[in-house]
Amino acid sequence: MTRLSVNINKVATLRNARGGNNPDVVKVALDCEAFGADGITVHPRPDERHIRRSDVYALKAVLKTEFNIEGNPTPDFIDLVLKVRPHQVTLVPDAPDQLTSNAGWDTKAHLSFLTEVLDAFKEEGIRTSVFVNADATMVEYAAKAGADRVELYTEPYASGYAADAEDAVRPFVEAAKVARSLGLGLNSGHDLSLANLEYYHRCIPWLDEVSIGHALICDALYLGLKRTIEEYKRCLI
């Protein structure tokens, strides 16, 4: 069964826009778990424009499902992850001023760096995932670096889905097959939604996990959080 990890960054963005603690990030995360989410994802950026370091510690203390921390492995990020020791860390190559992640790692060019960082996390028993484009070479070098999983960056699939779903998903299926042949676990995320998730999962049914935030939180404004999580889970059956 493919697991649904809810990215709660947007909840923190809403809280930070007004100050105070409304909405309560920790309560929302616990509600997501209660409503059927299989995990919680956060992406603490250096400027703390959404998730704060204090949120990460607070969540670690109470979550009962899988906790995934994603981000650019700067020294501060590495230190945070090693202290918190989540179930999974996902390495994302985003610059501090990026609005959102918009590309995967060049795992060939950064092989030595990624190997060193992944080794440090694996020594502490933290499962590792590397964010990559749907490219066989990038998947192969993630495996060489020692990653446990790759997370396919799915924005190109989401962008092309309406025009030609079969064509849009093709490179992702090929990359997913390469990952499976190398013994890598497989995650996916970015712009997956109720509109395109079911087809993506049907084409790649061996997915371990999808991480979804922006679309899911937007849907929850109309459907409510409980029903929204149920709808996303139905796409993964």
Side-chain angles (χ1 to χ4, degrees), residues 3-6 8 25-41 59-68 87 225-226 229 233:
R3 301 168 74 88
L4 171 66
S5 185
V6 176
I8 58 171
V25 169
V26 173
K27 182 181 185 305
V28 171
L30 293 175
D31 287 341
C32 288
E33 288 187 323
F35 298 152
D38 304 295
I40 299 296
T41 292
L59 289 163
K60 171 63 176 178
V62 297
L63 292 179
K64 296 179 175 61
T65 58
E66 283 207 350
F67 191 22
N68 172 46
H87 300 91
L225 187 58
K226 183 176 187 294
I229 289 174
K233 292 276 287 184

Side-chain angles (χ1 to χ4, degrees), residues 18 88 115 215:
R18 190 66 179 265
Q88 178 175 268
T115 301

Side-chain angles (χ1 to χ4, degrees), residues 44 53 56 67-92 105 113-131 145-149:
R53 290 176 69 94
V56 177
F67 191 22
N68 172 46
I69 302 177
E70 62 180 28
N72 191 1
T74 61
D76 284 347
F77 178 85
I78 293 171
D79 177 69
L80 176 65
V81 173
L82 290 177
K83 286 177 178 175
V84 174
R85 297 183 65 175
H87 300 91
Q88 178 175 268
V89 58
T90 302
L91 305 188
V92 182
W105 284 95
F113 172 70
L114 288 171
T115 301
E116 180 181 350
V117 173
L118 292 170
D119 283 348
F121 290 138
K122 292 175 75 173
E123 285 178 8
E124 296 300 318
I126 303 168
R127 186 173 69 235
T128 58
S129 180
V130 176
F131 195 62
D148 297 309
R149 296 183 181 183

Side-chain angles (χ1 to χ4, degrees), residues 2 21 60 65 80 89 109 127 142 155 157 159 184 210 219 221:
T2 302
N21 194 39
K60 171 63 176 178
T65 58
L80 176 65
V89 58
R127 186 173 69 235
E155 190 278 334
Y157 162 73
S159 294
L184 290 171
V210 293
D219 289 332
L221 295 175

Side-chain angles (χ1 to χ4, degrees), residues 40-193:
I40 299 296
T41 292
V42 295
H43 188 144
R45 286 184 164 86
D47 61 5
E48 296 194 325
R49 65 179 183 264
H50 38 64
I51 290 293
R52 301 167 181 157
R53 290 176 69 94
S54 58
D55 295 327
V56 177
Y57 288 107
L59 289 163
K60 171 63 176 178
V62 297
L63 292 179
K64 296 179 175 61
T65 58
E66 283 207 350
F67 191 22
N68 172 46
I69 302 177
E70 62 180 28
N72 191 1
T74 61
D76 284 347
F77 178 85
I78 293 171
D79 177 69
L80 176 65
V81 173
L82 290 177
K83 286 177 178 175
V84 174
R85 297 183 65 175
H87 300 91
Q88 178 175 268
V89 58
T90 302
L91 305 188
V92 182
D94 56 350
D97 59 349
Q98 275 184 236
L99 180 63
T100 186
S101 307
N102 61 7
W105 284 95
D106 183 335
T107 51
K108 185 175 182 179
H110 295 95
L111 177 62
S112 177
F113 172 70
L114 288 171
T115 301
E116 180 181 350
V117 173
L118 292 170
D119 283 348
F121 290 138
K122 292 175 75 173
E123 285 178 8
E124 296 300 318
I126 303 168
R127 186 173 69 235
T128 58
S129 180
V130 176
F131 195 62
V132 296
N133 295 340
D135 179 288
T137 300
M138 297 302 103
V139 174
E140 289 167 3
Y141 275 85
K144 289 181 180 180
D148 297 309
R149 296 183 181 183
V150 289
E151 179 174 332
L152 299 182
Y153 168 56
T154 47
E155 190 278 334
Y157 162 73
S159 294
Y161 173 80
D164 190 334
E166 184 176 356
D167 184 64
V169 82
R170 187 175 296 113
F172 293 87
V173 173
E174 294 307 311
K177 288 178 178 177
V178 172
R180 184 168 59 173
S181 74
L182 294 170
L184 290 171
L186 184 66
N187 300 340
S188 290
H190 206 93
D191 286 353
L192 294 174
S193 69

